Amino acid sequence: MTSHPAFLPPPGARAYRLGTSRGEFAVVDSSPAAGVEGRGAVLMLPGFTGSKEDFRLLHEPLAQRGYRVVAVDGRGQHESEGPLDDESAYAQRELARDVLAQAEALGGPVHLVGHSLGGQIARAAVLLDHSPFRSFTLVSSGPAEISVSQQQRVKLLRDALAVLSMEEVWEAIQAMGAPEEVGGPARGLGDQDQLRRRWLGHSPAQLLATGRQLCTEPDRVAELAALPLPFHVLSGAHDDTWPIAILDDMALRLDARRTVITGAEHSPNADRPLPTAHALADFWDGIKDRPGEPADPRTS
């Protein structure tokens, strides 16, 4: 970590580097609240241009429900190091192997949560090896490539990164309008200085590689549905990255629990953290682990 991090961890959490067989990753880690029985650990993966801080409003309510929450910056994201110009380091399979190493380092099995891009990386990890996971929740993360309108936005960003520095791209984003209108890296849980520092911490190669993945991801829902895991599809009531009807259909194909958070959009973890945390904990609380009991909480 830097000596002056852009974000302070939420109350009761600590920020450190998690050592794994594939290197160190920056995490924010919170334990169950004092006096609350522990109910397991959760590994959370952020989305495109995001970071572990996107989950910071979930730590306290999930700690009150007995869950240890570990939110991670993936390779080349924010405070986790990665090559600046080698896109091969960010191939989806490589990022998936990182997730398996993170789960192993936490002592697994863990509940896995992936937001947007993080959901697709998490899916790739589960398809490589589902054994380190107790359940899998996709938050605003769809079955295949992102919508055409979002593909156009990603292409604009990738074109800019090809000719401009990260600082110059940030200034261009700022010139486009108010953060709540522009979205992307200029919008999030923090002020503009914090979000700028987060943006500058990203590797350009990571953004280029993962942006391409978002625009070309195939539909692998049938493969995922064949695995013996409890699934949960959670989203806001509106999403222009993957339309809600597409997420509804994916949940049906997965025989997954489906949660729609009213008043939230693409980031329910930030838009409405309390109902999001409660929905996650309710899902995990319903999973049966004891021998002879079916691990199937997939009811609406």
Side-chain angles (χ1 to χ4, degrees):
M1 296 296 185
T2 61
S3 58
H4 300 286
F7 300 88
L8 294 176
R14 63 190 182 103
Y16 65 95
R17 293 190 180 276
L18 176 70
T20 79
S21 60
R22 289 177 62 84
E24 294 186 337
F25 297 88
V27 301
V28 173
D29 185 341
S30 58
S31 299
V36 177
E37 180 183 0
R39 300 186 65 87
V42 183
L43 177 61
M44 294 191 166
L45 312 182
F48 187 60
T49 76
S51 69
K52 59 192 180 302
E53 286 75 23
D54 293 335
F55 303 111
R56 62 180 174 154
L57 298 181
L58 300 182
H59 284 267
E60 287 189 89
L62 289 176
Q64 292 294 331
R65 294 286 294 266
Y67 289 96
R68 176 190 180 189
V69 176
V70 181
V72 61
D73 286 336
R75 183 178 303 276
Q77 275 186 322
H78 191 203
E79 293 178 322
S80 288
E81 296 178 358
L84 299 179
D85 54 9
D86 178 10
E87 291 187 41
S88 67
Y90 306 104
Q92 189 185 75
R93 189 177 182 88
E94 293 301 309
L95 299 178
R97 291 184 182 279
D98 289 345
V99 176
L100 294 175
Q102 292 155 10
E104 179 185 30
L106 294 177
V110 300
H111 297 290
L112 183 61
V113 178
H115 174 239
S116 196
L117 170 71
Q120 297 199 331
I121 293 170
R123 180 173 72 176
V126 169
L127 289 172
L128 280 178
D129 182 3
H130 69 273
S131 65
F133 307 110
R134 295 178 65 187
S135 71
F136 179 25
T137 298
L138 292 136
V139 177
S140 303
S141 186
E145 75 278 1
I146 55 177
S147 66
V148 172
S149 64
Q150 290 300 308
Q151 289 185 45
Q152 292 170 343
R153 290 171 64 91
V154 170
K155 183 179 185 303
L156 284 173
L157 179 58
R158 293 181 63 244
D159 289 347
L161 287 169
V163 296
L164 300 174
S165 68
M166 291 290 286
E167 179 69 51
E168 289 170 332
V169 172
W170 177 260
E171 294 302 326
I173 291 170
Q174 294 292 295
M176 291 173 64
E180 61 271 18
E181 297 174 0
V182 175
R187 185 178 183 182
L189 294 174
D191 60 34
Q192 287 301 288
D193 180 63
Q194 290 173 314
L195 296 174
R196 172 183 171 276
R197 291 170 66 186
R198 176 173 74 170
W199 166 256
L200 294 177
H202 276 70
S203 159
Q206 190 269 354
L207 293 168
L208 290 167
T210 57
R212 183 179 296 105
Q213 291 167 26
L214 283 170
C215 296
T216 60
E217 180 73 4
D219 188 322
R220 305 185 70 187
V221 174
E223 294 175 69
L224 189 63
L227 299 179
L229 274 181
F231 299 115
H232 186 191
V233 175
L234 185 149
S235 73
H238 175 74
D239 197 318
D240 60 1
T241 304
W242 286 279
I244 297 302
I246 289 178
L247 299 176
D248 290 341
D249 178 71
M250 181 178 72
L252 288 173
R253 295 168 63 195
L254 288 172
D255 189 23
R257 182 169 183 143
R258 178 74 173 106
T259 301
V260 177
I261 305 296
T262 58
E265 297 188 10
H266 186 59
S267 298
N269 44 293
D271 295 339
R272 297 204 65 206
L274 283 178
T276 298
H278 292 324
L280 290 169
D282 288 348
F283 169 61
W284 300 326
D285 285 353
I287 294 174
K288 307 298 183 185
D289 302 297
R290 295 188 295 273
E293 290 188 341
D296 189 4
R298 291 177 278 182
T299 57
S300 58

